[in-house]
Amino acid sequence: MIKHYRILEYALSSLLRRKYKNLALFLIYTLIVGVLSSVMFLTHSLKSEALKVFIDAPELIVQRLSGGRHELIPLGYADLIESIPGVATVQPRYWGYYYDPNTGGNYTIMARTTSAELDLITGTMPQEGQCAVGKGVAQARQLDINDIMFFTLGSEQKLMLKVVGIFTANSSILTNDLVIMDKNDLLRFFALDKDKATDLMVKVNNEMEINTITNKIKRTLPDTRPITRSEILRTYENVFNWRGGMALVMFCGTLLAFFIFAWDKATGLSAEERQEIGILKAIGWETSDVLTLKFWEAMVISLSSFLSGVILGYVHVFYFGGTIFDPFLKGWSILLPPFDPIPYIDIYQVVVIFFLTVVPYLASTIIPSWKAAIADPDTIMR
Amino acid sequence: MLKARVFLWFLTIEILLLIILYLHSHFMVGLRQREVYGKRQLVRELTLTDLALFTEARYTRHLSQADMFTPFQDFPSSLDHFPAGSIVEPSYRKHTGE
């Protein structure tokens, strides 16, 4: 133990002799681990939150397809679906998109489906002639409660609604671009047929029967596309999976940068480092001692960078809302919800980062040193 | 042995900090449980199906409701012109070809 302690002391002195180079190494390494852990923390947190909240998503949504595209569904389909054994209720959903030319933002307009009072809203749910908006919409249009919101789709379709509710900021991840209004206002504004809805929401008596009911709906109404709750959940599980999609794009870039960096180290030692190994061998150090020294040198850099990087990632995501990813996530969207992710941590992901960063670095430092250490000291020093 | 001692202290502080952050995460998850219930209520009452993360295109706004062919919705083989389309995966249905 004391031998390792002494070798660690020597390793630190050796690192301090090249302090600027090693400091730069520490900073780059920390930054790479910081970005990697930020990606993992953010995606895991978003995924966990999506999986927790969409547990209450509609059990089954039935869309109608026409010409291969999503089309309005006749309300008559609701009666046909309701007659299928096992179906409890069928409720039409009315929703659509609105491009706001004033702000350049896209809003999701939905008809009110409930009269229940909600926890995450300031004000009340709208009646006819009123609307409730998400925080993002309220900020973009500088709206407050009792203000009038104006919608227009050309000269004929105009709508003026009184804002009676604003969804709270902590619900922005769900409601940022949302405008909730009465069904009649929505039908009038979008000039929709009264006997059609955007899609149908189906409730079943026994959730175990959902796949059977889905198949029956497909057979009875071949021009429909049922989407089950489990498919919604699986979609979010895939979208925020760290091995694919959004995470992979960010992940690959930083990981490649790290591998180039580790490869550069692995391709050889500097003349100065070789000479140092030669001198140590000449004064009586064993090959195993040299390898222990190099192990500790690599460990000092990689372990301290890894720990600092993970701390940096955590602080970046959960205290600063992942600000460096903002422009990247925003894309062309005008409305991006402020990120305030709930810190769901998966230890497995931290272990993955450890094995992806620390282990390759240790190997890339020790292997060239081992090659130098087994050579004749006289040859290395020359 | 001063350097080794300073380094080991530094390492200990970092590990302690990580443990504190881990405990903090657990504490915050518990503290914000009410917020999660509120969001579940929103999802249930407003019949929401998707997160309002990417509002630039309908297939990125409603990832789970998107048509299976939407990345090429304008004309055959057209490239997806919305940045978000490049960072979100096709939905599960598209992924498995179901």
Side-chain angles (χ1 to χ4, degrees):
Chain A
M1 192 66 195
I2 198 78
K3 182 185 162 192
H4 279 275
Y5 193 64
R6 285 176 199 280
I7 290 179
L8 173 64
E9 179 74 18
Y10 183 83
L12 286 164
S13 306
S14 171
L15 288 172
L16 283 172
R17 272 201 297 279
R18 295 178 291 271
K19 55 176 168 292
Y20 294 113
K21 184 191 159 203
N22 287 318
L23 187 68
L25 205 64
F26 168 76
L27 291 177
I28 294 169
Y29 202 148
T30 303
L31 209 62
I32 289 173
V33 177
V35 172
L36 280 178
S37 46
S38 296
V39 172
M40 286 209 174
F41 287 146
L42 184 66
T43 51
H44 181 71
S45 172
L46 288 174
K47 184 171 88 175
S48 304
E49 195 166 341
L51 296 184
K52 279 190 198 304
V53 300
F54 289 125
I55 270 185
D56 281 332
E59 282 174 329
L60 185 60
I61 297 274
V62 181
Q63 291 181 345
R64 181 174 172 241
L65 296 181
S66 170
R69 298 213 161 202
H70 179 201
E71 179 63 65
L72 297 177
I73 191 161
L75 291 179
Y77 280 30
D79 301 331
L80 290 170
I81 294 170
E82 216 155 22
S83 66
I84 294 172
V87 171
T89 57
V90 183
Q91 193 188 346
R93 291 200 317 156
Y94 301 90
W95 57 277
Y97 301 107
Y98 173 71
Y99 172 72
D100 182 9
N102 296 326
T103 59
N106 293 315
Y107 305 155
T108 300
I109 312 271
M110 284 189 92
R112 180 174 54 87
T113 45
T114 180
S115 50
E117 284 306 312
L118 303 172
D119 290 344
L120 300 180
I121 192 170
T122 312
T124 56
M125 284 297 278
Q127 302 298 320
E128 201 161 346
Q130 300 174 334
C131 69
V133 298
K135 195 79 182 169
V137 178
Q139 278 170 349
R141 294 283 290 257
Q142 296 177 329
L143 293 169
D144 216 332
I145 292 195
N146 291 330
D147 284 353
I148 298 295
M149 189 170 179
F150 188 74
F151 301 87
T152 178
L153 283 175
S155 56
E156 293 299 310
Q157 291 158 279
K158 285 179 185 157
L159 190 65
M160 280 169 79
L161 299 175
K162 185 179 172 188
V163 179
V164 291
I166 297 177
F167 291 102
T168 55
N170 56 5
S171 73
S172 285
I173 200 159
L174 289 165
T175 59
N176 201 44
D177 68 333
L178 216 55
V179 179
I180 304 284
M181 59 178 72
D182 188 77
K183 184 186 106 183
N184 294 330
D185 287 329
L186 188 140
L187 291 177
R188 200 169 55 247
F189 179 58
F190 284 132
L192 298 179
D193 287 345
K194 281 200 163 40
D195 59 348
K196 284 184 177 170
T198 311
D199 50 32
L200 300 173
M201 184 177 74
V202 181
K203 275 193 183 139
V204 297
N205 291 321
N206 179 1
E207 213 173 324
M208 302 290 280
E209 291 177 354
I210 201 134
N211 288 333
T212 317
I213 291 168
T214 304
N215 288 333
K216 279 185 183 168
I217 293 173
K218 273 188 196 165
R219 269 204 304 275
T220 317
L221 302 161
D223 59 341
T224 58
R225 183 170 80 114
I227 301 166
T228 61
R229 182 196 287 157
S230 63
E231 280 168 344
I232 294 174
L233 293 173
R234 275 181 300 192
T235 298
Y236 279 92
E237 206 163 339
N238 278 329
V239 165
F240 297 119
N241 193 327
W242 68 271
R243 283 164 295 188
M246 181 179 116
L248 196 68
V249 177
M250 296 193 264
F251 199 76
C252 278
T254 35
L255 210 59
L256 272 175
F258 179 76
F259 283 139
I260 292 168
F261 161 70
W263 178 252
D264 183 51
K265 269 208 73 81
T267 44
L269 300 172
S270 67
E272 196 189 342
E273 282 171 311
R274 280 173 175 278
Q275 204 174 26
E276 188 186 339
I277 292 173
I279 293 168
L280 291 174
K281 290 274 289 188
I283 60 168
W285 282 46
E286 296 288 326
T287 305
S288 62
D289 296 334
V290 175
L291 289 184
T292 313
L293 169 69
K294 288 293 161 188
F295 168 80
W296 277 114
E297 276 187 16
M299 210 56 182
V300 167
I301 295 277
S302 58
L303 201 60
S304 47
S305 307
F306 168 77
L307 293 172
S308 309
V310 174
I311 293 169
L312 185 75
Y314 186 96
V315 172
H316 170 232
V317 172
F318 298 118
Y319 284 94
F320 294 98
T323 38
I324 62 163
F325 299 139
D326 264 9
F328 180 70
L329 289 170
K330 198 168 181 179
W332 289 0
S333 310
I334 298 294
L335 303 175
L336 180 75
F339 283 113
D340 183 18
I342 298 175
Y344 295 107
I345 301 288
D346 186 2
I347 291 288
Y348 160 72
Q349 293 191 324
V350 179
V351 175
V352 167
I353 302 172
F354 180 84
F355 279 101
L356 281 176
T357 56
V358 174
V359 175
Y361 186 82
L362 278 181
S364 67
T365 312
I366 290 173
I367 293 167
S369 307
W370 170 71
K371 279 185 188 164
I374 54 169
D376 179 32
D378 185 45
T379 321
I380 312 170
M381 279 191 285
R382 278 170 204 276
Chain B
M1 295 291 174
L2 182 70
K3 288 179 201 118
R5 201 173 296 159
V6 170
F7 172 72
L8 289 176
W9 267 111
F10 173 67
L11 221 55
T12 314
I13 290 169
E14 283 202 314
I15 291 168
L16 275 177
L17 209 58
L18 264 185
I19 294 171
I20 290 169
L21 289 179
Y22 185 68
L23 294 176
H24 169 262
S25 78
H26 271 266
F27 174 71
M28 288 307 286
V29 167
L31 198 72
R32 293 176 70 176
Q33 198 57 38
R34 203 181 157 78
E35 189 184 311
V36 175
Y37 289 136
K39 286 179 186 170
R40 281 179 64 176
Q41 187 198 32
L42 278 179
V43 167
R44 193 174 52 246
E45 299 296 338
L46 302 177
T47 67
L48 303 178
T49 53
D50 289 273
L51 297 180
L53 279 177
F54 313 107
T55 56
E56 58 200 55
R58 61 197 166 97
Y59 55 88
T60 55
R61 170 63 179 87
H62 288 102
L63 292 165
S64 69
Q65 309 293 301
D67 303 335
M68 293 180 202
F69 49 81
T70 34
F72 304 108
Q73 63 175 338
D74 291 332
F75 52 89
S77 303
S78 77
L79 290 172
D80 192 355
H81 51 259
F82 288 107
S86 61
I87 55 169
V88 289
E89 268 202 334
S91 76
Y92 179 78
R93 294 164 62 90
K94 284 176 265 175
H95 200 64
T96 54
E98 273 179 31

